[in-house]
Structure formats: structure tokens, C-alpha cells
């Protein structure tokens, strides 16, 4: 789809969201039973949709095809992002991800389900499928977050295999970086491609997953937005969901994904909400010139939106058997 068609569709469908939002707002005065029936009527008969950050064609196709076969939103999102966690050519997610400045590959991930449950793992070494591990934290422990060695040991107890995440290629790139190791974490299209995925399943339920190796050559122990519920990912199944990619520190400061869902709750389209979340960052000062942030969002009606700071961010959308790579609109047009 061309960008102008995408924008046109987004603004047209924005009308639908306002109508849906009004119904839900009016429902505040109704009995719980009527309110639930109203919400269910809005949610049923959905065409499944998968969206994810960047041009991760195979990952999004995997999630979309699973959704089409009837898989639930969370399982589909985790299956989708696992493709990139296992892709050793991807230097910013999973195995093959760039290490920290001391040569350790540490991964961050979180998941959030349509019932509001969530799980997260921070700074995990030697485990490839950290989104699935985050789900196990959610389903197999009374906790939301496990970090570092605790998360790794939990993984082994859950049957995950120990893996060396530092590939020959990522080791060589790190050794090249060490030749002039000025501490300046890198972030741009080529070297920072967190995969955040949002799925709307046939039941109209929304869930998501977010997984990354974080900034290339980061300080040991550094954790960004991706595994932090509300920053890297947030879902409210009555409203929609959002995920972020880019410089995690700036997403954390504005709790970006939660903000987008709350803006949608108050009647904004996914597109408008993503634009406002970016504006909250760019309006503070002009440091945004040095980093990229991008958001994607989906609402209960299946409308999607995306916005980023700088030109170059794309996202995938799978619907009705089509898996399209869409150029996001962006803030910095100077
Ligand atoms: N957005 C991923 C990170 O900053 O680590």
C-alpha cells in the first residue's frame, strides 16, 4: 500500500474508532452485563491482523498465518518474534545480537496477553527465545519480571537449552568496534531493530511481544524499554495495543506504549496516538535529532497506526493473506 493510501485509510477508519469509543464511553452508565455484551459485539468477527516493527517479513507472516489458522494472539506473536530471535543475521534481536561493550550478549523481552497478564525478562544471557521465556514468567511464576542469572536459571528449569548467542560475525563486529571504543551506543536502522509485534486474533483479542538485544555495545547491565511493560509494549484488550522500537531511554521517560493506549482510550486513532507519543519526546528539546524512536499501534477495530522521528522506519502488516511492508510517516521533515 502506498503511504498516501495508508494515511487516507487511517484517517477514514479513524471515524470508526470515534464511534466505537463513544459506544464504550456510554457503556459506563450501563449495567455490567449490558456493558460486556456491547464490548463483545464490537469485538466479534475480526479479520486477524499481525503487525510488527521494521521489515521482518518472515516473522510477521508466521504470526499472521498462525492467526489465520485460529491461533490465539499471544501464541502467534511469540511464534512470530521467535523467527528473528533465531535469525543469526539479525544483529539486534536474539542469537547473533550485538553484545555489550564487554562482549556479553544480553537479551530483553516482554509479552502481554489480552487478559492483562504480562511477563518480562531482563539482561538474560545464553537463552535464545526470550519472548517465550517471558511468557513462562507470566504463566509459571507469581511474578512479572525476572532478571539476569535468575531468569537464566529459571529458563533451564523450564527446559530451555543453553546457547552461545555470540556468533562469529557479531564477535568480529564487536572486536572491530573495540579498536576505537569511545562509548557512544549506536542506534539507527542498520543496527537497532527491536522486534515488537501486535496480534489481533479471530476472537478479537489483542496481545503482543517485544524482544531485543538492546543497544549495540551498551554498558554492562543496561536495559532499555523493550522488556518494560508500558514502555516497550502495552495491551489493554478493551482498547488496543502499542509497541516501540528505537532509543529505549527516551521511550522509558515517556512510558510511550502505555501513553498510546491511553490516548486511544480517550478517542484518538492509533495513528494520532502514535504521533502524539512521538511529539511528547520531540517537544522536550532537540536531542531527538540524534536518535530514532518509532511506535506502531492497533485498536480493537483493527485500525493500525505508526509514527517515528526520522525517515526510514517501516513496519509489517499481515491481513487477509497479504503481508505488506509499510513506510511510516515521520516527524523530522526538515
Ligand atoms: N528499544 C530497545 C532498547 O533501547 O534497548
Amino acid at each position: 500500500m502506498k503511504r498516501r493510501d495508508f494515511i487516507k485509510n487511517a484517517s477514514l477508519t479513524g471515524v470508526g474508532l470515534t464511534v466505537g469509543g463513544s459506544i464504550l464511553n456510554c457503556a459506563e452508565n450501563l449495567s455490567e452485563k449490558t456493558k460486556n455484551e456491547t464490548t463483545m459485539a464490537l469485538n466479534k468477527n475480526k479479520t486477524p491482523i499481525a503487525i510488527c516493527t521494521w521489515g521482518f517479513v518472515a516473522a510477521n507472516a508466521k504470526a499472521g498465518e498462525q492467526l489465520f489458522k485460529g491461533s490465539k494472539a499471544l501464541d502467534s506473536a511469540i511464534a512470530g518474534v521467535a523467527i528473528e530471535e533465531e535469525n543469526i543475521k539479525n544483529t539486534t534481536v536474539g542469537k547473533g545480537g550485538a553484545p555489550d561493550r564487554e562482549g556479553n550478549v544480553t537479551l530483553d523481552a516482554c509479552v502481554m496477553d489480552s487478559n492483562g497478564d504480562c511477563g518480562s525478562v531482563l539482561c538474560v544471557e545464553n537463552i535464545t527465545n526470550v519472548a517465550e521465556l517471558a511468557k513462562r514468567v507470566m504463566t509459571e511464576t507469581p511474578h512479572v519480571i525476572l532478571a539476569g542469572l535468575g531468569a537464566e536459571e529459571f529458563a533451564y528449569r523450564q527446559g530451555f537449552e543453553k546457547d552461545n548467542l555470540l556468533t562469529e560475525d557479531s564477535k568480529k563486529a564487536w572486536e572491530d568496534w573495540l579498536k576505537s571504543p569511545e562509548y557512544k551506543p549506536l542506534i539507527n536502522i542498520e543496527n537497532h531493530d527491536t522486534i515488537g509485534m501486535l496480534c489481533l486474533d479471530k476472537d478479537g483479542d489483542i496481545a503482543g511481544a517485544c524482544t531485543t538485544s538492546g543497544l549495540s555495545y551498551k554498558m554492562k547491565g543496561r536495559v532499555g524499554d523493550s522488556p518494560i511493560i508500558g514502555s516497550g509494549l502495552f495491551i489493554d484488550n478493551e482498547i488496543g495495543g502499542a509497541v516501540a522500537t528505537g532509543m529505549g531511554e527516551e521511550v522509558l521517560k515517556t512510558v510511550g506504549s502505555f501513553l498510546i493506549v491511553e490516548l486511544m482510550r480517550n478517542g484518538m486513532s492509533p495513528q494520532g496516538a502514535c504521533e502524539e507519543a512521538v511529539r511528547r519526546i520531540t517537544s522536550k528539546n532537540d536531542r531527538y535529532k540524534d536518535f530514532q524512536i518509532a511506535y506502531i499501534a492497533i485498536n480493537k477495530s483493527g485500525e493500525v497506526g505508526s509514527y517515528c522521528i526520522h525517515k526510514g522506519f517501516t513496519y509489517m502488516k499481515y491481513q487477509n493473506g497479504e503481508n505488506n511492508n509499510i513506510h511510516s510517516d515521520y516527524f523530522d521533515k526538515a
Side-chain angles (χ1 to χ4, degrees):
M1 186 190 290
K2 292 198 175 90
R3 191 170 77 80
R4 66 170 180 276
D5 296 335
F6 168 64
I7 293 168
K8 193 169 122 209
N9 283 354
S11 61
L12 285 174
T13 48
V15 174
L17 172 66
T18 309
V19 172
S22 307
I23 291 170
L24 286 175
N25 288 343
C26 292
E28 275 170 22
N29 299 323
L30 302 175
S31 70
E32 270 311 307
K33 182 170 174 292
T34 314
K35 198 177 357 178
N36 288 342
E37 281 167 1
T38 309
T39 307
M40 280 166 62
L42 283 169
N43 295 349
K44 277 206 165 159
N45 303 319
K46 294 289 177 212
T47 311
I49 298 172
I51 59 174
C52 78
T53 54
W54 305 103
F56 295 127
V57 176
N60 207 54
K62 175 81 181 176
E65 283 158 14
Q66 282 212 193
L67 287 168
F68 187 73
K69 288 181 191 152
S71 175
K72 287 301 292 174
L74 183 63
D75 293 335
S76 305
I78 292 172
V81 300
I83 299 274
E84 287 308 319
E85 291 175 333
E86 292 162 17
N87 174 9
I88 59 170
K89 298 271 180 238
N90 184 335
T91 59
T92 58
V93 178
K95 183 168 180 162
D100 64 18
R101 60 185 181 173
E102 288 163 55
N104 312 299
V105 181
T106 63
L107 304 182
D108 303 323
C110 73
V111 298
M112 191 155 188
D113 204 357
S114 51
N115 58 9
D117 285 332
C118 47
S120 163
V121 290
L122 280 57
C123 221
V124 186
E125 294 183 51
N126 303 314
I127 303 293
T128 300
N129 293 121
V130 280
E132 173 63 27
L133 182 59
K135 180 188 167 191
R136 302 289 182 90
V137 174
M138 177 180 91
T139 58
E140 308 303 322
T141 82
H143 308 302
V144 170
I145 301 176
L146 288 180
L149 202 51
E152 188 180 338
E153 287 171 0
F154 171 67
Y156 301 137
R157 290 200 298 278
Q158 286 290 310
F160 287 69
E161 289 192 1
K162 184 169 185 164
D163 203 358
N164 178 11
L165 305 181
L166 189 67
T167 59
E168 280 307 311
D169 285 349
S170 53
K171 184 163 181 260
K172 187 173 178 315
W174 167 63
E175 284 167 350
D176 286 345
W177 177 82
L178 278 179
K179 289 175 190 159
S180 49
E182 180 197 359
Y183 186 58
K184 191 167 182 225
L186 300 172
I187 186 158
N188 60 35
I189 296 163
E190 287 75 37
N191 62 21
H192 196 84
D193 308 331
T194 298
I195 181 165
M197 185 174 285
L198 300 168
C199 290
L200 173 71
D201 66 28
K202 281 185 171 170
D203 297 325
D205 290 327
I206 298 174
C210 189
T211 176
T212 190
S213 54
L215 292 179
S216 304
Y217 319 128
K218 60 197 175 185
M219 286 179 70
K220 186 174 184 176
R222 180 267 183 191
V223 172
D225 61 310
S226 301
I228 306 301
I229 298 295
S231 289
L233 166 71
F234 194 73
I235 307 289
D236 183 326
N237 198 40
E238 284 188 7
I239 307 300
V243 282
T245 180
M247 183 60 92
E249 281 72 4
E250 303 301 323
V251 177
L252 284 164
K253 288 175 199 171
T254 47
V255 200
S257 294
F258 180 74
L259 172 64
I260 289 169
V261 173
E262 288 306 296
L263 291 169
M264 292 195 290
R265 186 192 306 282
N266 287 312
M268 273 196 185
S269 66
Q271 182 62 33
C274 289
E275 289 180 18
E276 173 60 15
V278 167
R279 197 198 64 77
R280 295 280 175 105
I281 295 167
T282 55
S283 62
K284 283 186 201 304
N285 51 56
D286 63 5
R287 286 207 315 270
Y288 69 83
K289 292 182 187 302
D290 296 330
F291 57 79
Q292 173 71 302
I293 301 278
Y295 291 109
I296 61 172
I298 189 167
N299 69 13
K300 266 314 244 192
S301 306
E303 297 153 2
V304 305
S306 165
Y307 203 62
C308 58
I309 298 178
H310 303 288
K311 187 176 180 178
F313 171 69
T314 66
Y315 67 100
M316 297 299 307
K317 180 181 177 192
Y318 184 104
Q319 186 174 21
N320 295 325
E322 282 190 27
N323 196 30
N324 292 315
N325 189 218
I326 300 167
H327 286 268
S328 174
D329 196 7
Y330 57 97
F331 171 80
D332 193 7
K333 300 217 167 66

